[in-house]
Amino acid sequence: LVRVVESGGTLVQAGDAVKLSCTVSGLTFEDHWMGWFRRIPGKEREGISCVRWNGERTIYADSVKGRFTISRDNSKNTVYLQMNNVMPEDTAMYFCAPGIGAHCPSTVHGLASRRLSDDWGQGTQVIVSS
């Protein structure tokens, strides 16, 4: 059974930095790409970033490109999301999920449909005040 546990969410001010973590169990971590997703209040959940199995390729949504950095530590079965210069519109519940296969798709569009499991973790809340 695949289990993901997200952490690191907090209340911050615009312009601050936040680092999210996600630890995964129940699978061979390095066999899968890892993605970060978020659900902004009133909107559908969206994929925002993906990292290849070895961390050497990443993709981002335009809304976070240049501000967020995804990385992973396969020795710890953990994926990270470094969020710099956060803005109020980044306020959301953040989720991670492993994907089908080791390589990220070419785009984050439709990323959620390429997850390994239909289940989501509990997520971690980031609130950005202006």
Side-chain angles (χ1 to χ4, degrees), residues 84-128:
N84 294 333
N85 190 26
V86 295
M87 302 184 294
E89 46 265 50
D90 294 320
T91 294
M93 186 70 80
Y94 285 77
F95 304 84
C96 74
I100 299 172
H103 298 272
C104 293
S106 59
T107 172
V108 296
H109 298 296
L111 197 65
S113 66
R114 302 186 185 204
R115 291 175 298 133
L116 181 65
S117 169
D118 289 335
D119 296 328
W120 291 100
Q122 85 286 351
T124 189
Q125 179 79 51
V126 175
I127 300 174
V128 183

Side-chain angles (χ1 to χ4, degrees), residues 32-98:
H32 301 275
W33 60 258
M34 288 297 302
W36 279 100
F37 305 80
R38 69 183 181 186
R39 187 174 62 224
I40 295 172
K43 296 186 178 182
E44 292 188 359
R45 191 169 356 218
E46 60 173 343
I48 58 172
S49 187
C50 176
V51 60
R52 194 166 75 174
W53 71 275
N54 60 0
E56 292 184 358
R57 181 175 181 268
T58 57
I59 58 173
Y60 298 93
D62 289 344
S63 57
V64 306
K65 194 175 297 181
R67 299 186 299 120
F68 292 9
T69 303
I70 189 172
S71 61
R72 62 190 291 163
D73 184 340
N74 288 349
S75 70
K76 297 180 179 179
N77 279 24
T78 299
V79 61
Y80 305 98
L81 187 68
Q82 177 67 45
M83 305 167 60
N84 294 333
N85 190 26
V86 295
M87 302 184 294
E89 46 265 50
D90 294 320
T91 294
M93 186 70 80
Y94 285 77
F95 304 84
C96 74

